[in-house]
Amino acid sequence: MDVDAVNKFSSLHAKPNGLILQYGTAGFRTKAYHLDHVMYRMGLLAVLRSKQTKSTIGVMVTASHNPEEDNGVKLIDPLGEMLAPSWEEHATHLANAEEQDIQAVLAEISHREAVNLQQKAMIVIGRDTRPSSEKLSQSVIDGVSVLGGQYHDYGLVTTPQLHYLVCCQNTNGQYGKATIEGYYQKLSKAFVELTKQTFRSGDEYRALKIDCASGIGALKLKEMECYLPRELSLHLFNDGTKGKLNHLCGADFVKSHQKPPLGIEVKPNERCCSFDGDADRIIYYYNDADGRFHLIDGDKIATLISSFLKELLSEVGENLKIGIVQTAYANGSSTRYLEEVMKVPVHFTKTGVKHLHHKAQEFDIGIYFEANGHGTVLFSKAAEMKIRQLAKEETDGKKRKAAVMLENVIDLINQTVGDAISDMLLIEAILALKGLSVQQWDAIYTDLPNRQLKVKVADRQVIDTTDAERRAVTPLGLQEVIDDLVKKYRFSRAFVRPSGTEDVVRVYAEADSQGRSLGRGQGSLSVPHICL
């Protein structure tokens, strides 16, 4: 380790006085002008992680659905998964270290994790379209270079594409070709194979309007368009040619405000969807004939995919264990439909993609979608091998056809992380195969009216939760107040939980009518004040 070089570059990427940041599920996120030192240091950390794992590590510069003036960074582990929790702690420690202590912190991490400093390191880097991202990516490169790491800068990519590329690099191409073209080819081939018996030229309902949040998704969809069949007509809006990233558009805006984004005209019964700024979330929606807005969020996406996969598994005749993973924010109607109608087990975890992803790995086929539209499908190695074997060797024509379709789903879905492009293609394929309109999909079940609120508090840590954050343990008496409120209404549920990123308490309430949900939400507003 070149101590002089580390110190020299550390002074060029100085930490603002008093700034303390926490590495969470989304990595680091804050105002872009606060992040130069963090980027440099995450370049250093990525090299150590690469040496320790003897694998390629990814560094993605993005703040996802945050405003354009923000930015962020997250590291991607060898199989495209999120950074290991113990290394999240190292990231926080290193980011917050004083300049004169960086050398000691690096040495401490290397010692604790038994890093062989002579081992070669390879880092792949990607960024979103924010004005600050290119310069911040260079700061990452400085950190990688000063520790002697090799790197490949993929430039402008979606976050899920970089996750895919990392996985491809570390599986010697078994997961796919480690290029952006390889990503397009893998997904488009699976989509074409899955839908080849379905598409009819001129089917008007196969047109899809996509709000790209003025982000990277538009650029990548334009590149991918030539790989997709003409029957899938994609119309891109908020494509980045004007307007600010995520401003009055994107999946988070549509979900939060329950209305269409700016910059897109939604005609009656037109199928529309929105990506977020780095294209790892997707939300569908439409306006009915009366002009009423209908949101189709991650819960209904999970239900559509689950029902499709369960039908295929039934046709194949294999007893593969399928499981759905939700958080406390999942609408109660979706949980009831999955458990009571589809007879599929539903499991709950704490909020945060890493918790859902980890739980989904316990099943032969694990499906998780947060209500915000971030999610994917995971196939165990054993399940994937069995499906591919059946697709190749099954003699019964009907069973083999179903196995081939399952094999195409495996190749179409990005199993490393939620991916708006991959998810959109799977959804469009399922709708086409089942002959469903967006209205028919929406009518599978009716969401319970709900409200999400946040209340600023002096110290969010006074609230502790259990049962996947659905019940409050402390302060004493808080859960009893909530229980008394929810008893008054049919199909009602409410919870409070501390935010993971800011001093607010998040409040969720749902009931069998909008008026009751609203009333209960307002009643719940008083609950966090017990903590003040």
Side-chain angles (χ1 to χ4, degrees):
M1 190 182 297
D2 189 335
V3 175
D4 291 338
V6 170
N7 290 337
K8 176 187 173 183
F9 275 87
S10 295
S11 65
L12 295 175
H13 300 283
K15 181 174 84 73
N17 289 331
L19 181 66
I20 302 294
L21 297 171
Q22 178 79 30
Y23 192 105
T25 300
F28 290 111
R29 283 189 198 169
T30 188
K31 299 299 180 189
Y33 55 75
H34 281 321
L35 282 168
D36 178 60
H37 73 292
V38 174
M39 298 294 174
Y40 167 70
R41 296 176 187 198
M42 289 308 99
L44 299 173
L45 189 70
V47 170
L48 295 186
R49 181 63 170 159
S50 177
K51 289 175 182 286
Q52 191 230 17
T53 59
K54 301 177 183 177
S55 304
T56 297
I57 295 296
V59 181
M60 184 68 198
V61 178
T62 182
S64 189
H65 58 277
N66 281 35
E68 185 174 272
E69 57 269 21
D70 291 358
N71 217 319
V73 60
K74 65 176 182 176
L75 272 62
I76 301 171
D77 257 0
L79 294 180
E81 72 271 51
M82 297 196 176
L83 186 64
S86 62
W87 281 76
E88 288 184 5
E89 294 177 19
H90 296 325
T92 298
H93 190 193
L94 183 59
N96 294 323
E98 295 305 322
E99 193 176 310
Q100 66 270 18
D101 299 328
I102 288 178
Q103 191 69 44
V105 173
L106 292 172
E108 180 189 347
I109 295 169
S110 299
H111 175 72
R112 283 180 59 183
E113 298 293 347
V115 176
N116 177 6
L117 295 176
Q118 306 308 311
Q119 176 71 34
K120 289 183 179 180
M122 181 65 191
I123 311 301
V124 293
I125 302 163
R127 67 178 189 270
D128 69 13
T129 56
R130 294 165 196 272
S132 59
S133 290
E134 187 171 5
K135 184 174 183 294
L136 291 175
S137 289
Q138 186 57 53
S139 300
V140 174
I141 291 170
D142 286 351
V144 172
S145 300
V146 80
L147 284 187
Q150 296 178 301
Y151 69 89
H152 181 86
D153 184 4
Y154 280 99
L156 293 168
V157 291
T158 70
T159 294
Q161 285 177 335
L162 194 67
H163 283 258
Y164 163 88
L165 291 164
V166 171
C167 187
C168 291
Q169 291 270 9
N170 291 312
T171 55
N172 298 315
Q174 289 182 24
Y175 190 66
K177 189 177 176 184
T179 64
I180 296 299
E181 290 73 23
Y183 170 91
Y184 296 147
Q185 289 164 356
K186 181 183 179 183
L187 268 61
S188 60
K189 181 183 176 185
F191 178 79
V192 169
E193 287 296 312
L194 193 56
T195 59
K196 64 183 178 182
Q197 301 300 323
T198 304
F199 276 141
R200 302 279 190 277
S201 186
D203 278 355
E204 191 176 331
Y205 68 88
R206 293 272 58 87
L208 176 66
K209 287 183 173 180
I210 305 176
D211 156 36
C212 298
S214 296
I216 185 67
L219 182 65
K220 296 303 165 180
L221 278 176
K222 288 174 183 176
E223 290 178 0
M224 190 177 189
E225 213 160 6
C226 63
Y227 294 89
L228 297 170
R230 288 177 301 169
E231 289 83 0
L232 180 63
S233 180
L234 304 179
H235 303 278
L236 309 186
F237 298 84
N238 297 319
D239 63 357
T241 54
K242 60 181 181 179
K244 290 177 69 175
L245 179 70
N246 294 321
H247 181 60
L248 303 178
C249 60
D252 191 60
F253 173 85
V254 174
K255 170 70 175 167
S256 300
H257 292 81
Q258 302 274 314
K259 66 179 183 180
L262 200 67
I264 178 170
E265 182 188 359
V266 182
K267 295 178 181 176
N269 298 320
E270 277 187 332
R271 197 170 67 262
C272 306
C273 70
S274 286
F275 292 1
D276 68 338
D278 66 338
D280 66 355
R281 293 185 188 184
I282 184 169
I283 291 288
Y284 271 72
Y285 49 92
Y286 69 99
N287 282 340
D288 62 25
D290 297 323
R292 194 159 57 95
F293 178 77
H294 294 255
L295 179 72
I296 301 178
D297 65 6
D299 295 338
K300 274 196 174 151
I301 292 172
T303 304
L304 179 75
I305 295 172
S306 304
S307 63
F308 179 67
L309 293 178
K310 191 179 180 190
E311 286 172 15
L312 291 179
L313 287 173
S314 178
E315 289 176 21
V316 167
E318 287 295 319
N319 187 27
L320 294 176
K321 186 181 177 185
I322 188 168
I324 315 296
V325 187
Q326 294 186 327
T327 71
Y329 288 103
N331 194 278
S333 287
S334 73
T335 308
R336 270 188 290 277
Y337 181 84
L338 288 164
E339 290 182 329
E340 297 173 11
V341 179
M342 286 184 53
K343 308 297 183 186
V344 175
V346 178
H347 301 262
F348 284 85
T349 69
K350 292 169 67 175
T351 304
V353 173
K354 63 184 177 184
H355 302 299
L356 289 114
H357 195 92
H358 180 73
K359 186 67 180 178
Q361 290 174 323
E362 297 179 10
F363 307 98
D364 294 321
I365 303 175
I367 302 160
Y368 73 85
F369 272 84
E370 292 186 290
N372 64 25
H374 187 287
T376 190
V377 182
L378 304 182
F379 292 83
S380 70
K381 287 297 178 190
E384 183 173 336
M385 285 177 62
K386 185 65 178 175
I387 289 166
R388 293 194 188 279
Q389 180 185 9
L390 289 168
K392 190 176 181 180
E393 300 175 2
E394 177 59 57
T395 55
D396 182 290
K398 186 178 179 182
K399 287 185 178 181
R400 183 172 181 178
K401 181 182 176 183
V404 168
M405 292 177 77
L406 282 168
E407 184 177 41
N408 288 322
V409 171
I410 291 171
D411 291 333
L412 181 54
I413 201 74
N414 186 345
Q415 295 187 58
T416 65
V417 73
D419 183 338
I421 293 175
S422 165
D423 292 341
M424 178 268 290
L425 291 173
L426 179 57
I427 291 164
E428 290 301 308
I430 295 172
L431 292 177
L433 287 162
K434 294 172 77 74
L436 287 175
S437 67
V438 68
Q439 301 93 323
Q440 290 169 320
W441 175 19
D442 187 32
I444 290 174
Y445 63 81
T446 302
D447 277 328
L448 289 172
N450 59 87
R451 281 289 189 187
Q452 293 186 43
L453 308 161
K454 63 181 182 179
V455 181
K456 193 154 184 65
V457 295
D459 180 12
R460 68 183 186 274
Q461 302 300 340
V462 298
I463 292 183
D464 191 21
T465 62
T466 187
D467 190 19
E469 302 179 312
R470 291 180 292 179
R471 294 188 66 80
V473 177
T474 60
L476 293 175
L478 175 56
Q479 188 59 49
E480 286 73 14
V481 173
I482 297 172
D483 290 342
D484 286 343
L485 283 165
V486 301
K487 284 176 186 174
K488 299 176 183 178
Y489 309 109
R490 187 169 173 263
F491 292 142
S492 61
R493 182 172 67 93
F495 65 86
V496 299
R497 56 175 287 270
S499 167
T501 56
E502 52 185 326
D503 272 323
V504 298
V505 171
R506 302 196 183 277
V507 183
Y508 178 91
E510 66 183 28
D512 67 343
S513 73
Q514 184 69 23
R516 288 176 180 177
S517 179
L518 276 167
R520 192 165 57 118
Q522 290 163 353
S524 294
L525 270 174
S526 64
V527 173
H529 290 280
I530 295 172
C531 314
L532 295 177

